[in-house]
C-alpha cells in the first residue's frame, strides 16, 4: 500500500505563489474585490484569515438574498405572517454582515463604496453612515441609492459631518436639506450623478468646498428654483475638471451673457459636456460661455445629443466671442457629430483660436459617403496650428 505524499513547505509555497507576494500588493488585489468576496479568502488558511481586514477600502453591493421555499402551511394567514418575518430577517441580514465587517477592521476605513440596488429599507443604511461619520476617518465615499422608485431617498445629514472626505460620489439620492451643513475643507472631488438638489442647496454645498478641483453634475428630478451662471462659477474658484450634462444648461439662467463676463474659471483644464444639444442654440451658447470663461483649457470633450425637448430657442451671435483665445488647448474630442451647421461652426471656431491644438477627434454619425466631404471641409478650414484631424 502506497503512503500518501504530503507536500513539504517548499513545495506548498511553490504552488501558492500569491501568498508570497508583498503585503501591499496583496492588499491592492483584495481591495479590487467586493468586500464579501475578499472576506471569503479568510478560509484559505490561518495565514490568510485576517489579511482581508487590513485592506483600507470596503466595497458592498447590497441585494436581497434568496430564501429557499419551504412547504406551505395549511393556514394562508400563517403563511403570510411567516413570509413577512422572512422578509424582515432578510433586510436585517443585509446590514448585519456589513456591521460585522466594520467591527473586524484592524485599520481605519479609508474608502467605502455602498450600492443599494433595489433595497428600499434605509433605516440600517442611516445607522451605518452615522457610525462611519463618528468612528472612521473616511477619505473616499461612494454611495449609490436605488433608482427603482418614483422618489429618491433623502441623503442622511450625517454625510455632511464627514469632514475628512477628499472624494464624494453620490448617485440616485435627493439632497433636499436646509443649507446649514459646514465646510468640506479637504474635499477635492465631487460627483453628483442623477441627484435631485435645489439650486440654493447646491450653491451652499459648493461654496463650502474651497479645495474642490473636480466636479461633475447630472441632475435627475428637477426642482423649480434656478441659479445664474455667475452664481455657479463663483462657487468653483479652483476647479480643474468639470463634467456636466445638458440638463444643467436648462437649470442655469444665462443672464447678462456675454456682455458681463462671469467669474473666470482660470484653473479649468478639462471640460466634458455630455449630451449637449446644438440645436435651438441654447446648449451651444452655454458651451461658448464656458469656453470663454476658461482661458487655460487643455481638453474639451463633447457628446452630442439631438433631443431638444425642454429647451428654449437662443440665438448665437458669434462675434460676441471673437476675443476668445485658447492658448493651452491641445485636444478636442466630439462624439455623435452629425455635420449640422452649428456643430461645424463650433469646430471651425476652435481651430482658429487654439495655437497649440494637436488633435481633433470626431466620431460621426453621418452616412459613410458623406464623411469624406465632411473631412475635406474640416481640412480646408482656417487654423492656427498644425492640428491632426481624424473622423471615424
Amino acid at each position: 500500500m502506497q503512503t500518501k505524499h504530503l507536500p513539504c513547505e517548499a513545495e506548498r509555497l511553490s504552488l501558492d505563489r500569491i501568498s508570497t507576494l508583498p503585503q501591499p500588493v496583496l492588499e491592492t488585489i483584495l481591495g479590487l474585490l467586493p468586500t464579501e468576496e475578499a472576506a471569503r479568502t479568510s478560509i484559505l488558511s490561518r495565514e490568510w484569515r485576517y489579511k482581508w481586514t487590513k485592506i483600507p477600502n470596503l466595497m458592498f453591493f447590497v441585494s436581497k438574498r434568496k430564501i429557499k421555499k419551504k412547504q406551505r402551511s395549511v393556514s394562508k394567514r400563517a403563511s403570510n405572517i411567516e413570509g413577512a418575518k422572512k422578509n424582515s430577517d432578510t433586510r436585517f441580514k443585509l446590514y448585519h454582515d456589513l456591521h460585522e465587517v466594520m467591527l473586524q477592521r484592524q485599520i481605519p476605513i479609508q474608502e467605502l463604496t455602498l450600492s443599494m440596488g433595489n433595497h428600499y429599507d434605509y433605516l440600517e443604511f442611516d445607522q451605518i453612515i452615522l457610525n462611519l461619520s463618528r468612528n472612521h476617518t473616511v477619505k473616499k465615499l461612494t454611495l449609490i441609492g436605488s433608482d427603482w422608485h418614483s422618489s429618491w431617498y433623502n441623503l442622511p445629514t450625517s454625510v455632511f459631518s464627514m469632514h475628512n472626505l477628499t472624494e464624494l460620489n453620490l448617485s440616485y439620492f435627493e439632497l433636499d436639506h436646509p443649507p446649514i451643513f459646514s465646510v468640506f475643507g479637504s474635499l477635492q472631488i465631487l460627483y453628483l450623478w442623477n441627484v435631485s438638489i435645489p439650486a440654493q442647496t447646491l450653491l451652499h454645498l459648493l461654496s463650502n468646498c474651497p479645495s474642490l478641483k473636480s466636479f461633475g453634475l447630472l441632475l435627475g428630478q428637477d426642482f423649480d428654483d434656478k441659479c445664474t451662471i455667475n452664481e455657479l462659477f463663483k462657487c468653483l474658484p479652483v476647479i480643474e475638471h468639470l463634467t456636466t450634462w445638458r440638463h444643467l444648461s436648462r437649470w442655469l439662467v444665462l443672464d447678462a451673457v456675454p456682455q458681463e463676463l462671469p467669474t473666470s474659471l482660470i484653473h479649468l483644464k478639462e471640460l466634458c459636456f455630455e449630451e449637449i444639444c446644438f440645436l435651438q442654440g441654447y446648449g451651444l451658447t452655454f458651451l461658448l460661455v464656458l469656453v470663454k470663461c476658461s482661458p487655460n483649457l487643455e481638453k474639451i470633450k463633447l457628446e452630442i445629443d439631438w433631443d431638444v425637448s425642454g429647451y428654449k430657442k437662443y440665438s448665437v451671435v458669434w462675434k460676441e466671442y471673437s476675443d476668445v483665445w485658447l492658448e493651452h488647448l491641445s485636444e478636442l474630442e466630439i462624439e455623435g457629430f452629425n455635420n449640422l451647421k452649428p456643430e461645424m461652426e463650433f469646430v471651425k471656431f476652435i481651430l482658429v483660436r487654439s495655437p497649440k491644438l494637436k488633435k481633433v477627434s470626431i466620431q460621426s454619425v453621418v452616412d459613410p459617403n458623406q464623411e469624406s466631404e465632411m473631412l475635406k471641409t474640416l481640412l480646408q478650414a482656417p487654423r492656427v496650428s498644425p492640428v491632426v484631424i481624424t473622423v471615424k
Side-chain angles (χ1 to χ4, degrees), residues 269-297:
K269 297 178 180 180
E270 183 172 347
L271 171 63
C272 181
F273 206 139
E274 303 282 349
E275 298 183 358
I276 181 174
C277 181
F278 277 80
L279 301 176
Q280 307 268 27
Y282 195 80
L284 177 56
T285 300
F286 181 64
L287 174 61
L288 288 171
V289 171
L290 280 173
V291 170
K292 185 170 184 174
C293 297
S294 310
N296 296 312
L297 272 176

Side-chain angles (χ1 to χ4, degrees), residues 71-95:
Q71 285 186 335
R72 294 184 178 181
S73 59
V74 177
S75 169
K76 184 176 181 180
R77 175 181 173 83
S79 176
N80 290 339
I81 294 174
E82 183 66 20
K85 183 178 183 298
K86 287 179 183 177
N87 289 335
S88 177
D89 292 342
T90 302
R91 288 196 299 270
F92 177 78
K93 289 178 71 175
L94 291 174
Y95 290 96

Side-chain angles (χ1 to χ4, degrees), residues 293-322:
C293 297
S294 310
N296 296 312
L297 272 176
E298 297 176 5
K299 180 178 179 179
I300 299 175
K301 181 178 180 181
L302 307 176
E303 180 185 303
I304 298 177
D305 186 62
W306 309 328
D307 184 7
V308 297
S309 59
Y311 285 94
K312 59 183 179 181
K313 289 186 177 181
Y314 208 98
S315 59
V316 179
V317 183
W318 288 95
K319 65 179 182 180
E320 294 179 341
Y321 303 92
S322 59

Side-chain angles (χ1 to χ4, degrees), residues 36 66 89 156 257:
E36 289 179 297
K66 294 181 180 179
D89 292 342
V257 174

Side-chain angles (χ1 to χ4, degrees), residues 48-62:
W48 276 83
R49 185 172 183 181
Y50 296 108
K51 285 186 181 295
W52 72 274
T53 65
K54 297 178 181 179
I55 57 177
N57 56 299
L58 298 180
M59 189 185 307
F60 280 92
F61 298 91
V62 179

Side-chain angles (χ1 to χ4, degrees), residues 236-295:
L236 302 171
V238 296
I239 199 72
E240 295 181 3
H241 302 274
L242 178 63
T243 301
T244 185
W245 271 255
R246 63 192 181 105
H247 298 82
L248 181 62
S249 61
R250 292 189 302 184
W251 187 63
L252 288 169
V253 178
L254 293 174
D255 58 340
V257 174
Q259 289 77 14
E260 294 181 14
L261 187 65
T263 304
S264 181
L265 302 177
I266 59 174
H267 299 283
L268 189 63
K269 297 178 180 180
E270 183 172 347
L271 171 63
C272 181
F273 206 139
E274 303 282 349
E275 298 183 358
I276 181 174
C277 181
F278 277 80
L279 301 176
Q280 307 268 27
Y282 195 80
L284 177 56
T285 300
F286 181 64
L287 174 61
L288 288 171
V289 171
L290 280 173
V291 170
K292 185 170 184 174
C293 297
S294 310

Side-chain angles (χ1 to χ4, degrees), residues 95-142:
Y95 290 96
H96 173 77
D97 289 352
L98 206 159
H99 276 298
E100 287 295 312
V101 167
M102 293 172 65
L103 289 173
Q104 294 183 51
R105 300 292 298 167
Q106 294 190 13
I107 61 173
I109 299 172
Q110 296 182 12
E111 299 181 19
L112 174 65
T113 297
L114 181 57
S115 177
M116 305 303 300
N118 62 350
H119 187 55
Y120 53 84
D121 187 346
Y122 285 86
L123 178 60
E124 300 95 336
F125 172 76
D126 286 0
Q127 293 299 316
I128 288 170
I129 301 303
L130 182 62
N131 177 278
L132 281 171
S133 65
R134 291 177 175 177
N135 302 314
H136 296 273
T137 55
V138 180
K139 301 291 186 182
K140 179 179 178 180
L141 180 64
T142 299

